[in-house]
Protein backbone atom coordinates (compact mmCIF):
# COMPACT_ATOMS: atom_id res chain seq x y z
CA UNK A 1 0.00 0.00 0.00
CA UNK A 2 1.31 3.46 -0.98
CA UNK A 3 1.48 5.92 1.90
CA UNK A 4 1.74 9.70 1.55
CA UNK A 5 4.91 9.77 3.65
CA UNK A 6 6.64 7.63 1.00
CA UNK A 7 6.40 10.57 -1.42
CA UNK A 8 8.14 13.04 0.92
CA UNK A 9 11.86 13.72 0.57
CA UNK A 10 12.20 15.67 3.79
CA UNK A 11 10.03 17.25 6.49
CA UNK A 12 10.65 21.02 6.53
CA UNK A 13 8.40 21.91 9.47
CA UNK A 14 6.97 19.46 11.97
CA UNK A 15 3.48 19.58 13.38
CA UNK A 16 4.86 21.01 16.64
CA UNK A 17 6.92 23.69 14.84
CA UNK A 18 3.84 24.75 12.87
CA UNK A 19 1.76 24.97 16.03
CA UNK A 20 4.36 27.22 17.68
CA UNK A 21 4.75 29.47 14.61
CA UNK A 22 0.98 29.89 14.15
CA UNK A 23 0.61 30.83 17.83
CA UNK A 24 3.34 33.48 17.39
CA UNK A 25 1.60 34.91 14.32
CA UNK A 26 -1.75 34.92 16.16
CA UNK A 27 -0.25 36.82 19.10
CA UNK A 28 1.23 39.48 16.75
CA UNK A 29 -2.06 39.85 14.90
CA UNK A 30 -3.94 40.14 18.20
CA UNK A 31 -1.69 43.04 19.25
CA UNK A 32 -1.85 44.77 15.87
CA UNK A 33 -5.62 44.50 15.42
CA UNK A 34 -6.74 45.48 18.91
CA UNK A 35 -9.83 47.69 18.55
CA UNK A 36 -10.14 47.05 14.80
CA UNK A 37 -12.93 45.48 12.74
CA UNK A 38 -11.04 42.33 11.66
CA UNK A 39 -12.13 40.21 8.71
CA UNK A 40 -10.00 37.18 7.91
CA UNK A 41 -10.22 36.28 4.22
CA UNK A 42 -8.87 32.82 3.45
CA UNK A 43 -7.84 31.80 -0.01
CA UNK A 44 -9.14 28.26 -0.48
CA UNK A 45 -8.39 25.49 -0.55
CA UNK A 46 -4.79 25.63 0.60
CA UNK A 47 -5.21 28.14 3.43
CA UNK A 48 -8.04 26.35 5.25
CA UNK A 49 -5.81 24.43 7.68
CA UNK A 50 -3.70 27.51 8.43
CA UNK A 51 -6.81 29.68 8.87
CA UNK A 52 -8.37 27.20 11.28
CA UNK A 53 -5.34 27.19 13.56
CA UNK A 54 -4.59 30.90 13.13
CA UNK A 55 -8.07 32.14 14.03
CA UNK A 56 -7.96 30.10 17.24
CA UNK A 57 -4.70 31.91 18.08
CA UNK A 58 -6.20 35.38 17.61
CA UNK A 59 -7.73 36.65 20.85
CA UNK A 60 -10.06 39.22 19.28
CA UNK A 61 -13.52 39.27 17.74
CA UNK A 62 -13.07 38.44 14.08
CA UNK A 63 -15.16 37.30 11.16
CA UNK A 64 -14.05 34.96 8.40
CA UNK A 65 -14.89 34.65 4.74
CA UNK A 66 -13.48 32.73 1.81
CA UNK A 67 -12.37 33.23 -1.76
CA UNK A 68 -11.60 30.49 -4.22
CA UNK A 69 -9.28 31.45 -7.03
CA UNK A 70 -7.41 29.41 -9.55
CA UNK A 71 -4.12 30.06 -11.25
CA UNK A 72 -2.55 26.63 -11.27
CA UNK A 73 -4.89 24.03 -12.73
CA UNK A 74 -3.11 20.71 -12.23
CA UNK A 75 0.41 21.91 -12.98
CA UNK A 76 3.23 22.82 -10.65
CA UNK A 77 3.82 26.38 -11.93
CA UNK A 78 1.38 29.25 -11.93
CA UNK A 79 -0.31 29.90 -15.25
CA UNK A 80 -0.40 33.63 -14.47
CA UNK A 81 -4.10 33.73 -15.34
CA UNK A 82 -6.24 34.22 -12.24
CA UNK A 83 -9.87 33.23 -12.15
CA UNK A 84 -12.27 33.90 -9.25
CA UNK A 85 -14.33 30.78 -8.65
CA UNK A 86 -15.98 31.93 -5.41
CA UNK A 87 -16.06 35.54 -4.26
CA UNK A 88 -16.62 36.90 -0.75
CA UNK A 89 -20.07 36.94 0.83
CA UNK A 90 -19.08 39.69 3.30
CA UNK A 91 -18.70 43.34 2.23
CA UNK A 92 -15.20 44.61 3.01
CA UNK A 93 -15.85 48.36 2.88
CA UNK A 94 -14.54 49.96 6.07
CA UNK A 95 -13.23 46.62 7.38
CA UNK A 96 -9.70 45.71 8.39
CA UNK A 97 -9.04 42.84 6.00
CA UNK A 98 -6.35 40.28 6.64
CA UNK A 99 -5.86 37.94 3.69
CA UNK A 100 -4.80 34.50 4.90
CA UNK A 101 -2.70 32.53 2.42
CA UNK A 102 -0.87 29.22 2.69
CA UNK A 103 2.11 30.16 0.51
CA UNK A 104 3.26 33.34 -1.19
CA UNK A 105 5.03 32.13 -4.30
CA UNK A 106 5.04 34.19 -7.52
CA UNK A 107 2.72 36.72 -5.88
CA UNK A 108 0.62 37.01 -9.05
CA UNK A 109 -2.54 35.50 -7.55
CA UNK A 110 -2.29 37.42 -4.29
CA UNK A 111 -1.52 40.67 -6.11
CA UNK A 112 -4.68 40.17 -8.17
CA UNK A 113 -6.76 39.42 -5.05
CA UNK A 114 -5.34 42.40 -3.19
CA UNK A 115 -6.21 44.70 -6.11
CA UNK A 116 -9.79 43.45 -6.20
CA UNK A 117 -10.17 43.92 -2.46
CA UNK A 118 -8.61 47.41 -2.49
CA UNK A 119 -11.21 48.47 -5.05
CA UNK A 120 -13.85 47.59 -2.44
CA UNK A 121 -12.50 50.25 -0.02
CA UNK A 122 -11.47 48.38 3.12
CA UNK A 123 -10.11 50.40 6.04
CA UNK A 124 -6.91 48.38 5.66
CA UNK A 125 -5.66 45.31 3.89
CA UNK A 126 -2.76 43.16 4.97
CA UNK A 127 -1.47 39.70 4.14
CA UNK A 128 -0.48 36.83 6.39
CA UNK A 129 1.18 33.81 4.82
CA UNK A 130 2.45 30.70 6.49
CA UNK A 131 5.13 30.15 3.85
CA UNK A 132 7.04 32.67 1.78
CA UNK A 133 9.02 31.67 -1.31
CA UNK A 134 10.68 34.94 -2.41
CA UNK A 135 12.96 33.20 -4.91
CA UNK A 136 9.92 32.75 -7.20
CA UNK A 137 8.38 36.23 -6.79
CA UNK A 138 7.17 37.87 -10.00
CA UNK A 139 4.93 40.54 -8.44
CA UNK A 140 6.12 43.33 -6.13
CA UNK A 141 4.17 41.94 -3.20
CA UNK A 142 5.23 41.12 0.32
CA UNK A 143 3.44 39.63 3.31
CA UNK A 144 2.87 41.76 6.40
CA UNK A 145 3.09 38.59 8.49
CA UNK A 146 5.08 35.56 7.42
CA UNK A 147 5.75 32.25 9.13
CA UNK A 148 8.66 30.69 7.29
CA UNK A 149 10.75 31.40 4.22
CA UNK A 150 10.95 28.22 2.16
CA UNK A 151 13.38 27.08 -0.51
CA UNK A 152 12.36 26.72 -4.16
CA UNK A 153 11.07 23.19 -3.67
CA UNK A 154 7.60 21.73 -4.17
CA UNK A 155 6.13 21.68 -0.67
CA UNK A 156 2.99 19.89 0.50
CA UNK A 157 1.08 19.23 3.70
CA UNK A 158 -0.80 21.34 6.22
CA UNK A 159 -3.24 22.37 3.48
CA UNK A 160 -0.79 22.58 0.57
CA UNK A 161 -1.35 20.07 -2.18
CA UNK A 162 -0.24 18.50 -5.38
CA UNK A 163 -3.26 17.53 -7.53
CA UNK A 164 -5.50 17.79 -4.44
CA UNK A 165 -3.40 15.27 -2.51
CA UNK A 166 -1.20 15.61 0.59
CA UNK A 167 -3.26 18.46 2.15
CA UNK A 168 -3.95 16.27 5.18
CA UNK A 169 -0.33 15.74 6.17
CA UNK A 170 0.14 17.32 9.62
CA UNK A 171 3.55 18.73 8.65
CA UNK A 172 5.08 20.51 5.66
CA UNK A 173 7.38 18.41 3.54
CA UNK A 174 9.21 18.47 0.24
CA UNK A 175 7.54 16.32 -2.40
CA UNK A 176 9.76 13.92 -4.34
CA UNK A 177 10.30 15.33 -7.87
CA UNK A 178 9.37 12.02 -9.49
CA UNK A 179 5.84 12.40 -8.08
CA UNK A 180 5.09 15.62 -9.99
CA UNK A 181 7.42 15.26 -12.97
CA UNK A 182 5.98 12.02 -14.32
Amino acid sequence: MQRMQDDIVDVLYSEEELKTKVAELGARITRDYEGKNLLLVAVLKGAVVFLTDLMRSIDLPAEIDFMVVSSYGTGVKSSGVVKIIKDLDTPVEGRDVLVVEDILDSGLTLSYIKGILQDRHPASIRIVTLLDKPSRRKAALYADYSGYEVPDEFVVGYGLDYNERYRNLPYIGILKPEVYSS
Side-chain angles (χ1 to χ4, degrees):
M1 176 166 102
Q2 175 83 19
R3 301 184 71 81
M4 289 187 297
Q5 296 88 322
D6 298 338
D7 294 338
I8 303 301
V9 174
D10 192 23
V11 173
L12 282 179
Y13 303 107
S14 70
E15 187 173 3
E16 193 56 42
E17 288 172 310
L18 291 168
K19 183 178 180 179
T20 299
K21 183 59 73 175
V22 172
E24 290 170 8
L25 289 168
R28 284 183 53 208
I29 291 165
T30 298
R31 284 191 304 273
D32 292 352
Y33 282 87
E34 181 73 38
K36 304 225 181 223
N37 191 6
L38 180 58
L39 174 64
L40 300 167
V41 173
V43 182
L44 296 180
K45 299 177 188 172
V48 72
V49 177
F50 178 41
L51 170 72
T52 301
D53 290 344
L54 181 66
M55 68 184 187
R56 291 186 296 208
S57 295
I58 297 172
D59 190 20
L60 296 171
E63 292 179 42
I64 62 171
D65 204 344
F66 303 94
M67 289 185 86
V68 179
V69 298
S70 175
S71 66
Y72 280 93
T74 58
V76 296
K77 295 193 190 254
S78 176
S79 66
V81 177
V82 180
K83 176 181 165 187
I84 294 179
I85 297 167
K86 186 232 176 270
D87 205 342
L88 298 176
D89 296 321
T90 308
V92 301
E93 186 169 351
R95 302 291 306 269
D96 294 289
V97 175
L98 182 59
V99 179
V100 180
E101 181 64 290
D102 54 354
I103 186 166
L104 178 50
D105 195 319
S106 71
L108 295 174
T109 301
L110 213 44
S111 180
Y112 180 81
I113 291 169
K114 188 174 180 182
I116 287 172
L117 295 176
Q118 283 176 325
D119 288 346
R120 297 176 185 178
H121 310 291
S124 68
I125 183 166
R126 291 184 179 167
I127 297 167
V128 57
T129 188
L130 180 62
L131 304 177
D132 190 5
K133 196 185 286 188
S135 63
R136 305 224 339 138
R137 195 81 76 246
K138 293 180 181 174
L141 183 77
Y142 303 93
D144 300 279
Y145 305 93
S146 180
Y148 298 104
E149 187 172 310
V150 293
D152 190 10
E153 299 281 355
F154 199 100
V155 292
V156 294
Y158 198 73
L160 290 99
D161 76 303
Y162 170 66
N163 279 348
E164 296 300 323
R165 296 183 179 170
Y166 308 99
R167 290 189 196 278
N168 55 319
L169 288 171
Y171 56 81
I172 293 175
I174 298 172
L175 192 62
K176 289 180 178 176
E178 57 267 24
V179 173
Y180 57 86
S181 61
S182 57

